[in-house]
Amino acid sequence: MLDRSQDLERIALIEALNVMDPALGRSLDPVTELAAFTFGTAIALISIVDADSQRFISRVGLALERTDRHHSICSCALQSSGILQIEDLRQDPRFHDNPIVAGPEQMRFYAGAPLVTRNGIALGTLCLMDRTPRVLTADEQRQLQTLARIVVNQMELKMSLGRREPISGLPNRQQFQADLSVLGRQDGGNQFTGVLLDVFDLQSANDAGQALGLKPVESLLRQASLRVQEVLTDDVQVYHVASTRFAFVVRNHDHAQVEALMQRLRERMRRPLMVGSIPMSPQFHAGLCDFRADPDEAGDLVRKCMVALNHALQTDACLCWYSADRDAHLRRRYRLASDAARGLAQDQFSLVYQPRYDLRDGQPVSAEALLRWTHPMLGPITPGEFIPVLECTALMPALSQWVIEHAFAQAARWQQLLPGFTLSINLSPRDFDNANLWTGMAERLQANGLVPSQIEVEITEGQWLHSHPAALPQLRAMAAAGVRIAIDDFGSGYSNFGYLSEVPISHIKVDQSLVTGLARSRTARLKVEAIIRLAQQLGYRTVAEGVEHESELSLLRLWDCNEAQGYYLARPMSADAVTQLVLACRAGPPSDMDSD
Ligand code: C2E
Ligand code: MG
Ligand code: MG
């Protein structure tokens, strides 16, 4: 019997070489025919021995495509260094009752040459069988072995097609994956580190390619690949897995030692390389992941190294180790993105409304529609998590349409129940990619019997307005019709009043990060007061978000802030709860703003 680890290696290699591919079998048929003809035998087969059967991928003289491994004579041939020859199977106690001997085939003679790959693993045999006992001469045996070598060469050649990166000549990602799968099965439980390197940022590569042509860029990548190989020892195979990326596995999982190796690599890589006549510094970012030689871990290594490398690229770090937390976070993002369309179709989204108060009389004057998503498996998900994910997908405009439809219908109900009470919705930069955003909104307003001044649109401040040229004309059209435009989260990022003059806004909402805890922070007090003053002078109404304490409210009143919104006043709630709250406020004495 073969030992188990040899067996696993062989099975992994059968997969890696894609030996069961019928096209490979067909391409080997001439060899099998030649063998049957040359040796004058009734049967010639190329037999591959896998976990529990032997399969005849090319055959002459036998209808059978496979047999149990238990009945496989070839499986014994795998262990012989040369040819296994059995002059008369009927006389051999191991095989005399084998179905191919005792059954209708009545085979007597067997000779099998193992198909041994470059790395010394026997995949199966090229074998001959006949109905009369016989013996192969030494010359015939050599010929059979030569034919077996031709078979293996053909298998390896077919595999290597499409397995090398033409620019560097190094094995490519497919080969990396195939070799990992072999490693995963052969080195039971040993620990390694997978490394994925990015040596040149793609944008610079594109720029250089456009200006100089592709040859100098390819030369840079070739030189970079040589540098990687120079630093690594000979037993480490480097793979060229994507245009600017190389991968390899080191037989070490000691983080300090692997990081020292990365440091050496980085120093070597960072020295300038010539692209045309321009000296360029290749960059160096590495994603690292330690793994056990186990089929599952090895199979997932490339993906995990990508997670680590992307982390290094995003944080501009020289190297990052794979983090399971980060991976889980990315997978969750991906899951949200892929589940959102179904969520929309299955009514998993809903709206809550947070009232906004006028600070002069303490009355609720409007409400902000805020999205909620209750995922059937993951439970409630905050918009702070799902909106940024969906903003990167094509679904965002559809989701905003859904918000517009439902929020406007609610605004119409409030016009009946709470005359003068208005509604604001949040729109994201992605929404302005839809050139018909405003016409669609106008149509919904009309269908619900609303006038534009009953609606406010909140957009976040920022540079995005410049990168979305379609946004400004749409905002101007909305404002011209009477829709109020508010700048949300003002003061949270690179706030400046400069661009505000370009946008037809009426309200500035001061970000909650400045408002919450206002009384305790002198800097926040200075900032909020300055924002309110300046906004007033420029003619904008001011709204403070995130009011959580009476002390904040007092300061805001002192500075003549116009409106406020926050947990201290009212939390986001259902539309019916808003109706009750507003009716109660309107019926009673002026609110002491203690309604939460
Ligand atoms: P936002 O537009 O600035 O909305 C205010 C957020 O602050 C809401 O969070 C609200 O629940 C929360 N908030 C209100 N008062 C307080 C307070 O006193 N303290 C604290 N800590 N938080 C307060 P929410 O509902 O989780 O929404 C987060 C963000 O998600 C919103 O920020 C908005 O940018 C976005 N969003 C929500 N709904 C939509 C939507 O329909 N469309 C778009 N594009 N974005 C939305
Ligand atoms: Mg908002
Ligand atoms: Mg806000």
mmCIF file of all heavy atoms in Angstrom, residues 327-341:
data_model
loop_
_atom_site.group_PDB
_atom_site.id
_atom_site.type_symbol
_atom_site.label_atom_id
_atom_site.label_comp_id
_atom_site.label_asym_id
_atom_site.label_seq_id
_atom_site.Cartn_x
_atom_site.Cartn_y
_atom_site.Cartn_z
ATOM 1 N N ASP A 327 -11.360 41.065 7.946
ATOM 2 C CA ASP A 327 -11.937 40.188 6.936
ATOM 3 C C ASP A 327 -13.446 40.071 7.164
ATOM 4 O O ASP A 327 -14.248 40.199 6.233
ATOM 5 C CB ASP A 327 -11.262 38.815 7.040
ATOM 6 C CG ASP A 327 -11.576 37.918 5.862
ATOM 7 O OD1 ASP A 327 -12.279 38.386 4.953
ATOM 8 O OD2 ASP A 327 -11.131 36.763 5.862
ATOM 9 N N ALA A 328 -13.824 39.847 8.436
ATOM 10 C CA ALA A 328 -15.249 39.692 8.765
ATOM 11 C C ALA A 328 -15.990 40.985 8.409
ATOM 12 O O ALA A 328 -17.102 40.949 7.870
ATOM 13 C CB ALA A 328 -15.410 39.372 10.240
ATOM 14 N N HIS A 329 -15.347 42.111 8.686
ATOM 15 C CA HIS A 329 -15.963 43.403 8.390
ATOM 16 C C HIS A 329 -16.184 43.551 6.871
ATOM 17 O O HIS A 329 -17.270 43.944 6.415
ATOM 18 C CB HIS A 329 -15.044 44.512 8.923
ATOM 19 C CG HIS A 329 -15.454 45.884 8.553
ATOM 20 N ND1 HIS A 329 -16.541 46.501 9.139
ATOM 21 C CD2 HIS A 329 -14.950 46.758 7.654
ATOM 22 C CE1 HIS A 329 -16.686 47.695 8.604
ATOM 23 N NE2 HIS A 329 -15.735 47.877 7.700
ATOM 24 N N LEU A 330 -15.163 43.199 6.095
ATOM 25 C CA LEU A 330 -15.281 43.317 4.635
ATOM 26 C C LEU A 330 -16.354 42.374 4.096
ATOM 27 O O LEU A 330 -17.139 42.737 3.223
ATOM 28 C CB LEU A 330 -13.947 42.994 3.961
ATOM 29 C CG LEU A 330 -12.847 44.014 4.182
ATOM 30 C CD1 LEU A 330 -11.522 43.506 3.645
ATOM 31 C CD2 LEU A 330 -13.213 45.331 3.482
ATOM 32 N N ARG A 331 -16.377 41.165 4.661
ATOM 33 C CA ARG A 331 -17.377 40.196 4.195
ATOM 34 C C ARG A 331 -18.788 40.671 4.529
ATOM 35 O O ARG A 331 -19.714 40.472 3.760
ATOM 36 C CB ARG A 331 -17.151 38.843 4.844
ATOM 37 C CG ARG A 331 -16.005 38.088 4.212
ATOM 38 C CD ARG A 331 -15.822 36.827 5.004
ATOM 39 N NE ARG A 331 -14.698 36.078 4.555
ATOM 40 C CZ ARG A 331 -14.755 34.805 4.187
ATOM 41 N NH1 ARG A 331 -15.881 34.167 4.201
ATOM 42 N NH2 ARG A 331 -13.683 34.171 3.801
ATOM 43 N N ARG A 332 -18.897 41.305 5.714
ATOM 44 C CA ARG A 332 -20.218 41.811 6.097
ATOM 45 C C ARG A 332 -20.639 42.921 5.126
ATOM 46 O O ARG A 332 -21.778 42.963 4.678
ATOM 47 C CB ARG A 332 -20.168 42.326 7.535
ATOM 48 C CG ARG A 332 -21.525 42.759 8.053
ATOM 49 C CD ARG A 332 -21.441 43.116 9.509
ATOM 50 N NE ARG A 332 -22.478 44.047 9.869
ATOM 51 C CZ ARG A 332 -23.584 43.733 10.534
ATOM 52 N NH1 ARG A 332 -23.789 42.501 10.906
ATOM 53 N NH2 ARG A 332 -24.469 44.654 10.825
ATOM 54 N N ARG A 333 -19.699 43.799 4.803
ATOM 55 C CA ARG A 333 -20.005 44.867 3.834
ATOM 56 C C ARG A 333 -20.490 44.246 2.521
ATOM 57 O O ARG A 333 -21.466 44.682 1.927
ATOM 58 C CB ARG A 333 -18.751 45.698 3.547
ATOM 59 C CG ARG A 333 -18.474 46.787 4.546
ATOM 60 C CD ARG A 333 -17.220 47.532 4.144
ATOM 61 N NE ARG A 333 -17.405 48.318 2.927
ATOM 62 C CZ ARG A 333 -17.673 49.604 2.886
ATOM 63 N NH1 ARG A 333 -17.773 50.277 3.991
ATOM 64 N NH2 ARG A 333 -17.828 50.237 1.735
ATOM 65 N N TYR A 334 -19.737 43.227 2.094
ATOM 66 C CA TYR A 334 -20.078 42.595 0.823
ATOM 67 C C TYR A 334 -21.458 41.955 0.914
ATOM 68 O O TYR A 334 -22.268 42.049 0.000
ATOM 69 C CB TYR A 334 -19.006 41.543 0.486
ATOM 70 C CG TYR A 334 -19.180 40.990 -0.887
ATOM 71 C CD1 TYR A 334 -18.757 41.705 -1.999
ATOM 72 C CD2 TYR A 334 -19.806 39.770 -1.086
ATOM 73 C CE1 TYR A 334 -18.948 41.213 -3.272
ATOM 74 C CE2 TYR A 334 -20.003 39.267 -2.347
ATOM 75 C CZ TYR A 334 -19.564 39.987 -3.441
ATOM 76 O OH TYR A 334 -19.770 39.499 -4.692
ATOM 77 N N ARG A 335 -21.721 41.339 2.059
ATOM 78 C CA ARG A 335 -23.023 40.682 2.240
ATOM 79 C C ARG A 335 -24.142 41.718 2.192
ATOM 80 O O ARG A 335 -25.174 41.503 1.555
ATOM 81 C CB ARG A 335 -23.014 39.945 3.580
ATOM 82 C CG ARG A 335 -24.359 39.394 3.907
ATOM 83 C CD ARG A 335 -24.303 38.146 4.706
ATOM 84 N NE ARG A 335 -25.620 37.556 4.744
ATOM 85 C CZ ARG A 335 -26.029 36.774 5.716
ATOM 86 N NH1 ARG A 335 -25.199 36.462 6.693
ATOM 87 N NH2 ARG A 335 -27.240 36.275 5.695
ATOM 88 N N LEU A 336 -23.935 42.869 2.870
ATOM 89 C CA LEU A 336 -24.957 43.906 2.861
ATOM 90 C C LEU A 336 -25.208 44.366 1.432
ATOM 91 O O LEU A 336 -26.354 44.519 1.008
ATOM 92 C CB LEU A 336 -24.523 45.094 3.726
ATOM 93 C CG LEU A 336 -24.371 44.814 5.225
ATOM 94 C CD1 LEU A 336 -24.047 46.091 5.975
ATOM 95 C CD2 LEU A 336 -25.637 44.181 5.798
ATOM 96 N N ALA A 337 -24.107 44.575 0.700
ATOM 97 C CA ALA A 337 -24.258 45.056 -0.682
ATOM 98 C C ALA A 337 -25.038 44.038 -1.507
ATOM 99 O O ALA A 337 -25.883 44.403 -2.326
ATOM 100 C CB ALA A 337 -22.887 45.316 -1.301
ATOM 101 N N SER A 338 -24.767 42.728 -1.281
ATOM 102 C CA SER A 338 -25.462 41.766 -2.138
ATOM 103 C C SER A 338 -26.882 41.473 -1.667
ATOM 104 O O SER A 338 -27.708 41.038 -2.456
ATOM 105 C CB SER A 338 -24.648 40.479 -2.320
ATOM 106 O OG SER A 338 -24.114 40.071 -1.117
ATOM 107 N N ASP A 339 -27.174 41.742 -0.390
ATOM 108 C CA ASP A 339 -28.526 41.437 0.105
ATOM 109 C C ASP A 339 -29.498 42.615 -0.030
ATOM 110 O O ASP A 339 -30.704 42.449 0.188
ATOM 111 C CB ASP A 339 -28.474 41.044 1.590
ATOM 112 C CG ASP A 339 -27.844 39.671 1.787
ATOM 113 O OD1 ASP A 339 -27.542 39.026 0.769
ATOM 114 O OD2 ASP A 339 -27.652 39.257 2.938
ATOM 115 N N ALA A 340 -28.963 43.804 -0.339
ATOM 116 C CA ALA A 340 -29.810 45.002 -0.270
ATOM 117 C C ALA A 340 -30.958 44.980 -1.291
ATOM 118 O O ALA A 340 -32.081 45.382 -0.959
ATOM 119 C CB ALA A 340 -28.960 46.252 -0.464
ATOM 120 N N ALA A 341 -30.680 44.484 -2.507
ATOM 121 C CA ALA A 341 -31.733 44.501 -3.528
ATOM 122 C C ALA A 341 -32.915 43.648 -3.062
ATOM 123 O O ALA A 341 -34.083 44.046 -3.179
ATOM 124 C CB ALA A 341 -31.192 43.987 -4.860
#
